[in-house]
Amino acid sequence: MKNVNYSIVALAALGQKILVINPEDGSSKVLVETPGKAPDGIVVDNTNGYIYATNMGTLTGGETFYNNDGSIERINIDGSNHKIIIPVGHIVTPKQLTLDQKNGRIYWCDREGMRVMSSKLDGSDIKTLVEAGKGDEQREDANRHCVGIAVDPDAGYFYWTQKGPAKGGTGRLFRARIEMPQGKNETNRDDIELLYENLPEPIDLELDLANGYMYWTDRGEESLGGNTLNRAKLENIGKSKIEIIGTGHKEVIGLAIAPDHNSVFTADLGGHIRQFDLVTGRQKTVFQGEKNLLLTGIAILIN
């Protein structure tokens, strides 16, 4: 897309609201208050005019959410018709999510649920695609926690991160086929590929299919290469070199690629949205929220 007018839609975890931000001048407005106690991931369906957002549920201690009370909501892009499409009882801790427009589905990661999941756009036909663990004992192992998600429907793959302990240096990035192998299920499928390991703490994922790159944010320890924006070529993914193309974050989470594919935006828990120009290599802060504004997921809204 060339010369497309767009805004950035951002989730503020503190204050529980969805912001619409002009990337040119940094101006913002509140689109809607979110009903969930801990909003996290967001994606915009520009074709059908919807915004999808995850709510992690109730905090149980530290940064953990062990209760089975997460949910996913859908909102019209004008802020109206706010409804829960996947209610409490189906997900433990939904994190980042993404859209498969071709097949009419959304995908998300369930962190403390240790799962990668999917449903139709209306929230029906919920499927578990990967289950990295089960039960309370395994739930405490952060190496099993699934967080970031991306999908390439044409190539037939979905990708996800398992972040590992905070700043632990044991994060991993995986992919598997969208179509479940015959005779297999979410616990024993044999097509899962480990692409990268020993990452600081990988969080959100985005695919730039136009230029052939995978991007991800890494919230981990700076001395290990964390708090960064990273990318690797999709060609020969898993063996292609990891590039750090953005630094200076304060606990980076969200990620979105501009419609012209010439820049990437990130959001962090310091309330910043930064733009990284892929052509010039320059980076700038396009939005700074009020004190203690925790920004998590971000997405692109075509105006």
Side-chain angles (χ1 to χ4, degrees), residues 211-230:
N211 294 314
Y213 281 99
M214 172 184 289
Y215 288 85
W216 67 91
T217 52
D218 198 305
R219 189 182 170 184
E221 177 62 46
E222 289 186 11
S223 64
L224 299 175
N227 256 318
T228 52
L229 171 63
N230 306 267

Side-chain angles (χ1 to χ4, degrees), residues 32-160:
V32 67
E33 303 287 335
T34 64
K37 296 180 180 179
D40 192 76
I42 194 165
V43 68
V44 177
D45 181 350
N46 286 289
T47 299
N48 296 308
Y50 294 124
I51 295 171
Y52 294 86
T54 62
N55 290 302
M56 294 188 290
T58 305
L59 188 68
T60 54
E63 290 189 11
T64 57
F65 294 77
Y66 286 173
N67 297 319
N68 190 35
D69 63 352
S71 61
I72 296 179
E73 59 196 88
R74 189 179 73 186
I75 310 145
N76 289 358
I77 58 173
D78 63 0
S80 65
N81 196 24
H82 198 167
K83 63 185 293 187
I84 303 295
I85 62 166
I86 299 183
V88 167
H90 295 278
I91 323 170
V92 181
T93 320
K95 295 291 288 179
Q96 303 301 309
L97 77 166
T98 195
L99 178 70
D100 177 356
Q101 195 81 63
K102 179 178 180 179
N103 296 305
R105 301 188 70 86
I106 54 173
Y107 289 69
W108 66 90
C109 279
D110 181 357
R111 189 177 67 187
E112 275 83 353
M114 302 169 284
R115 295 176 292 185
V116 180
M117 304 181 72
S118 175
S119 77
K120 291 183 178 179
L121 297 181
D122 63 359
S124 64
D125 190 33
I126 300 171
K127 295 181 178 180
T128 298
L129 308 176
V130 174
E131 189 169 69
K134 206 176 185 87
D136 290 341
E137 182 177 349
Q138 292 188 340
R139 198 187 320 277
E140 294 180 5
D141 179 4
N143 289 305
R144 300 178 183 272
H145 289 177
C146 306
V147 178
I149 182 76
V151 62
D152 182 354
D154 289 335
Y157 287 104
F158 64 94
Y159 299 78
W160 74 98

Side-chain angles (χ1 to χ4, degrees), residues 23-42:
E24 297 297 324
D25 60 14
S27 60
S28 66
K29 65 178 182 179
V30 176
L31 178 68
V32 67
E33 303 287 335
T34 64
K37 296 180 180 179
D40 192 76
I42 194 165

